[in-house]
Amino acid sequence: MEVSVFDALPKDAKGLMDWSWAEFGPYYDDLIRRQLSAETVPRFLADWTRLSEVIDETYSRLHVATTVNTADRQAEQRYHTFLDVVYPPSEDAEQKLKQKLLAQGVVPDRFEVPLLKMRSEAEIYREANVPLLIQEHKLSMEYDKIIGAQTVQWDGKEITVVQLRPIYQSIDRHLRESAWSVAAQRQLDDRGSIDRLWDEFMGVRAKLAANAGFHDYRSYRWKQLKRFDYTPEDCKRFHEAIEQVVVPAAARICERRRKLLNVANLRPWDLDVDPLGKPPLAPFQDVTELQNRAAEIFQHVDPRLGGYFDTMVREGLLDLENRKNKAPGGYCTEFAAAKRPFIFMNAVGLHDDVQTLLHESGHAFHAFERSGLPYYQQRQVGMEFSEVASMAMELLASPYLAAEAGGFYSSAEAARARVEHLERWILFWPYMAVVDAFQHWVYENASEAHRPSNCDTQWKHLCERFMPWVDWAGLEQELVTGWHRKLHIHTVPFYYVEYGMAQLGAVQVWKNAIVDQPGAVAAYGQALALGGTVSLPDLFTAAGAKFGFDAATLDSAVSLMEQTIHALNAR
Ligand SMILES: [Zn+2]
């Protein structure tokens, strides 16, 4: 290939954080003007990749800067300027380039799946939907605002409903109940506002689908989420398999919990406390210790992956400590041009921090592995498999949590951490089924579901079907409004089943590792390196797993999890 101006774009975007559209725009114009032929497509894609990489990385770096220091006004300003000035025209130009490539008709090597995604975007794109999508986004922001404003008086202080959560782990049952009730009452105060918002969400979504020529919102959303490898019927089969296989296993876990807590029935405030009344695990003193022990664990999982983590330590790509003026939560992002991931979290010394670092590191390893693919679009992976990368790492690392293997704990503590982890995963599937089945019902029965009281009834019915172990007696209103408290239902419809699928993939990777760790980890790495160049079933197969929704696949996973729980408890 001959030289192009795109080769002069920097190797990372550190120096581009103040670039405006005046600097980025000409590169897009250059690409848009080109004549495409079978011979020129590779150069076109290579240059487009360089441009997408630096824009993507500029966005990531600007966003990271706002989260590592929320008090940095200049960082916030730069980030908003980018969103207002660079992002909209770049999206528009990206769409033009996709259409240009589609019109040309050439299918470059290992580009079938990226092209399928582009075609799907082009198919549902309608000028008339642009303002509706903005309206939908504004409704989501309104939902976030309502939830974010939910504060209560506790111990003479005003705190958020989320900040009450640690009290649900208290061994004092009365204290747990009063914290839970205070939160529930506050959430019920917003019932009317969320019901009104729901009506607007439903209206906008019906219009989006109709404008794009779909009979119902779900078919539209399926395309928008680029779900090519499974159907709504598959999801329903998944729900049925969960009902058949996971619900009985989860009921056994809850029954054990009930006995250990020595209570007549499990109430909603009995689900987070340690059933043996032990204090929380305290795995590390400071983030240096967290980092060093994690590094050792990854070496045990696989030296190659351990090497990636060491690179992140060496290059300052981890911001782990909780400190003043840091945004909440944790994430892994990517600097696409530099081909490096970045992990952000707020460690305070809990086991959850260990779990978060293992999880986010799985995402980071994915970024390293797929960075060898030549084109930007080949590196984009759907959540169904991205979460296999991260969730499988939680399980692959779990045998090394004890100090004797480089980890954090005595062997009894490590066993406790693993039991909690596996139990949480088993309990997740039924809840996921409630959330997903609810939404299928909503968009199959849109006119009924416009009425919040019908949604209440449906939610209750699904909770009784999938989570019968919680005793909601006397808490009717709290029970039926559970769908108000699940943000995905409101702001990112249908986006949830992905976690259930990924969890099933992750357990299968771990199952292989029990028999042959080097082989299982090698397959995992090869699957990660495929990026988004093959279908979901092929990604799962490469990782040594089956992309399945059937009871048999689920049963084999759940049996292994339950057996492991029993073995760990018997230690
Ligand atoms: Zn994740």
Side-chain angles (χ1 to χ4, degrees):
M1 286 185 214
E2 59 200 90
V3 219
S4 101
V5 288
F6 287 78
D7 296 328
L9 282 168
K11 289 279 171 266
D12 66 52
K14 281 180 195 155
L16 310 185
M17 308 216 347
D18 287 314
W19 270 29
S20 185
W21 188 243
E23 281 88 12
F24 286 119
Y27 288 96
Y28 275 111
D29 295 339
D30 176 310
L31 290 170
I32 289 166
R33 275 197 306 268
R34 288 193 199 177
Q35 287 290 334
L36 283 193
S37 67
E39 291 72 45
T40 59
V41 162
R43 176 86 253 178
F44 172 78
L45 285 175
D47 288 342
W48 186 6
T49 291
R50 290 292 294 125
L51 183 55
S52 301
E53 281 173 354
V54 294
I55 293 226
D56 186 320
E57 181 170 327
T58 304
Y59 170 81
S60 290
R61 287 190 185 276
L62 290 168
H63 178 250
V64 166
T66 64
T67 60
V68 298
N69 182 5
T70 52
D72 184 342
R73 293 282 154 254
Q74 198 200 350
E76 197 185 305
Q77 190 54 51
R78 280 167 137 184
Y79 177 61
H80 285 291
T81 304
F82 183 90
L83 286 183
D84 291 343
V85 176
V86 177
Y87 186 73
S90 78
E91 280 294 279
D92 191 47
E94 285 283 329
Q95 197 54 41
K96 286 194 180 112
L97 292 176
K98 287 173 189 170
Q99 267 148 1
K100 189 180 176 82
L101 183 66
L102 286 171
Q104 212 290 324
V106 172
V107 182
D109 190 30
R110 305 179 77 195
F111 218 80
E112 296 83 0
V113 176
L115 275 180
L116 183 64
K117 292 178 185 168
M118 288 182 192
R119 212 171 293 130
S120 173
E121 282 171 23
E123 262 175 52
I124 62 165
Y125 182 83
R126 296 288 184 283
E127 195 85 47
N129 275 346
V130 175
L132 289 173
L133 289 166
I134 294 172
Q135 196 188 337
E136 189 188 28
H137 182 66
K138 285 189 177 151
L139 291 172
S140 296
M141 281 165 48
E142 222 167 300
Y143 175 86
D144 289 343
K145 214 160 118 190
I146 292 172
I147 301 298
Q150 287 177 339
T151 61
V152 294
Q153 286 296 322
W154 187 258
D155 258 355
K157 269 188 295 191
E158 187 186 11
I159 62 168
T160 64
V161 163
V162 179
Q163 284 167 332
L164 277 174
R165 282 208 74 100
I167 300 164
Y168 305 161
Q169 293 177 25
S170 162
I171 54 167
D172 179 345
R173 198 181 193 203
H174 287 292
L175 188 69
R176 294 202 301 273
E177 178 176 355
S178 56
W180 190 91
S181 307
V182 164
Q185 194 46 59
R186 177 62 191 86
Q187 286 163 331
L188 280 173
D189 289 346
D190 286 328
R191 189 172 185 175
S193 337
I194 294 179
D195 280 346
R196 272 191 298 279
L197 214 51
W198 179 251
D199 185 57
E200 289 190 56
F201 269 126
M202 292 292 288
V204 169
R205 287 174 183 154
K207 275 189 220 154
L208 279 170
N211 284 348
F214 291 87
H215 284 302
D216 62 298
Y217 176 71
R218 183 176 61 188
S219 335
Y220 167 81
R221 183 66 172 153
W222 226 254
K223 280 245 154 146
Q224 199 187 24
L225 289 170
K226 306 186 181 80
R227 293 179 169 182
F228 309 120
D229 300 307
Y230 57 98
T231 63
E233 289 315 309
D234 288 324
C235 293
K236 289 186 184 173
R237 216 168 325 131
F238 197 24
H239 307 158
E240 278 159 27
I242 289 169
E243 184 176 20
Q244 192 186 325
V245 172
V246 190
V247 170
R252 286 189 285 273
I253 289 169
C254 289
E255 177 56 13
R256 179 172 177 271
R257 161 174 287 272
R258 187 193 67 73
K259 282 189 185 146
L260 289 172
L261 287 173
N262 194 22
V263 294
N265 293 304
L266 281 183
R267 305 285 275 162
W269 47 85
D270 293 328
L271 304 172
D272 286 351
V273 59
D274 179 72
L276 293 168
K278 290 190 185 146
L281 292 166
F284 55 89
Q285 294 295 322
D286 54 37
V287 291
T288 312
E289 192 184 352
L290 169 63
Q291 192 175 289
N292 292 343
R293 293 191 191 271
E296 191 129 351
I297 288 175
F298 292 133
Q299 286 296 338
H300 281 285
V301 175
D302 178 54
R304 176 183 159 86
L305 300 177
Y308 290 147
F309 190 77
D310 296 342
T311 299
M312 296 186 75
V313 171
R314 207 169 46 241
E315 297 184 8
L317 297 166
L318 302 165
D319 186 342
L320 308 182
E321 64 175 350
N322 170 259
R323 58 171 186 271
K324 198 180 169 210
N325 293 329
K326 219 174 140 172
Y331 62 78
C332 173
T333 188
E334 196 176 343
F335 299 144
K339 300 196 163 54
R340 287 289 187 265
F342 176 83
I343 292 177
F344 171 96
M345 56 181 277
N346 280 281
V348 290
L350 299 173
H351 179 69
D352 268 356
D353 302 329
V354 173
Q355 216 58 56
T356 302
L357 183 56
L358 298 175
H359 179 98
E360 300 305 338
S361 296
H363 286 308
F365 301 154
H366 203 175
F368 276 106
E369 291 288 3
R370 65 180 180 233
S371 69
L373 290 163
Y375 303 133
Y376 179 82
Q377 289 84 0
Q378 294 173 315
R379 301 175 205 149
Q380 312 307 310
V381 189
M383 293 297 295
E384 296 90 343
F385 190 73
S386 298
E387 288 299 322
V388 174
S390 53
M391 292 176 138
M393 189 44 59
E394 295 181 45
L395 288 174
L396 290 170
S398 64
Y400 309 106
L401 284 172
E404 64 205 32
F408 299 86
Y409 299 120
S410 71
S411 63
E413 288 171 333
R416 175 183 161 194
R418 293 184 67 187
V419 167
E420 280 175 18
H421 185 223
L422 291 169
E423 287 187 347
R424 210 180 315 145
W425 279 31
I426 290 176
L427 290 168
F428 173 73
W429 271 312
Y431 177 66
M432 181 231 92
V434 171
V435 173
D436 196 52
F438 176 78
Q439 301 189 81
H440 284 278
W441 175 84
V442 163
Y443 296 102
E444 278 172 5
N445 302 278
S447 54
E448 257 182 87
H450 248 287
R451 225 177 229 276
S453 61
N454 291 332
C455 294
D456 292 351
T457 308
Q458 186 62 18
W459 182 265
K460 181 183 171 190
H461 163 71
L462 288 167
C463 287
E464 285 163 357
R465 178 179 164 200
F466 289 102
M467 301 165 67
W469 45 80
V470 188
D471 174 12
W472 289 88
L475 302 168
E476 177 77 9
Q477 300 315 310
E478 290 85 342
L479 167 61
V480 301
T481 50
W483 62 282
H484 277 192
R485 300 189 286 271
K486 190 67 204 159
L487 77 95
H488 299 72
I489 292 171
H490 304 267
T491 66
V492 273
F494 285 108
Y495 171 62
Y496 207 57
V497 70
E498 286 87 342
Y499 289 98
M501 294 171 178
Q503 203 170 273
L504 186 51
V507 175
Q508 295 178 75
V509 170
W510 169 56
K511 188 176 189 190
N512 299 339
I514 293 171
V515 184
D516 167 19
Q517 178 161 317
V521 175
Y524 165 86
Q526 281 153 14
L528 266 50
L530 288 170
T533 57
V534 300
S535 69
L536 275 177
D538 288 350
L539 282 175
F540 273 66
T541 304
K546 181 184 167 194
F547 184 63
F549 307 92
D550 53 291
T553 308
L554 199 52
D555 188 41
S556 138
V558 172
S559 302
L560 172 66
M561 294 163 91
E562 266 199 295
Q563 283 160 20
T564 309
I565 291 170
H566 288 313
L568 290 165
N569 277 334
R571 272 192 196 173

